[in-house]
Amino acid sequence: QVQLVESGGGSVQAGGSLRLSCAASGYTYSTYSMGWFRQAPGKEREGVAVIDSDGMTAYADSVKGRFTISQDNAKNNLYLQMNSLKPEDTAMYYCAHGRFASSAVWVKLNPRHYNYWGQGTQVTVSS
């Protein structure tokens, strides 16, 4: 059973930065995708940034150039560095894991392809 535990959320003013972390455990297979998704009140969950087991990344257009996804060498920890934050980035952010890898960005960023989810961490950006 894959377990994901997020940390690092908080409140920040527009233009500020936050770094989210996700501790992953319980998987042994070599092909996977892991990513960050977010959900604002009244909106659907959306993909933010994803990295797969080959190190290929994908980003939502709204965060390109501002957010960076990475993982440590042991691939047990996933990170999301968020810079130049905007009020529209306010949401609950979730770490997710799926047993697949795809070159298609729309597949990577689609939450339906992910089997395991963390409990979420709140990010609030004030103007």
Side-chain angles (χ1 to χ4, degrees), residues 8-23:
S11 297
V12 65
Q13 289 192 326
S17 298
L18 284 173
R19 189 189 195 210
L20 305 184
S21 299
C22 174

Side-chain angles (χ1 to χ4, degrees), residues 19-42:
R19 189 189 195 210
L20 305 184
S21 299
C22 174
S25 62
Y27 69 97
T28 57
Y29 39 83
S30 58
T31 300
Y32 63 86
S33 293
M34 286 187 65
W36 293 95
F37 295 76
R38 66 187 181 188
Q39 188 166 18

Side-chain angles (χ1 to χ4, degrees), residues 34-116:
M34 286 187 65
W36 293 95
F37 295 76
R38 66 187 181 188
Q39 188 166 18
K43 294 188 176 181
E44 292 187 355
R45 191 168 297 189
E46 63 175 357
V48 175
V50 171
I51 188 167
D52 68 19
S53 43
D54 292 327
M56 301 300 291
T57 59
Y59 293 91
D61 288 343
S62 59
V63 306
K64 282 181 181 177
R66 301 188 297 122
F67 291 11
T68 303
I69 190 170
S70 62
Q71 60 183 159
D72 63 5
N73 289 336
K75 300 184 178 180
N76 292 328
N77 293 291
L78 184 72
Y79 306 101
L80 185 68
Q81 179 65 43
M82 304 185 293
N83 298 329
S84 302
L85 282 161
K86 304 175 181 180
E88 50 263 45
D89 294 319
T90 295
M92 184 71 77
Y93 282 69
Y94 297 91
C95 176
H97 178 102
R99 193 173 179 176
F100 76 98
S102 173
S103 59
V105 172
W106 74 270
V107 172
K108 278 184 159 69
L109 293 176
N110 190 331
R112 295 183 178 183
H113 296 291
Y114 292 80
N115 312 99
Y116 301 99

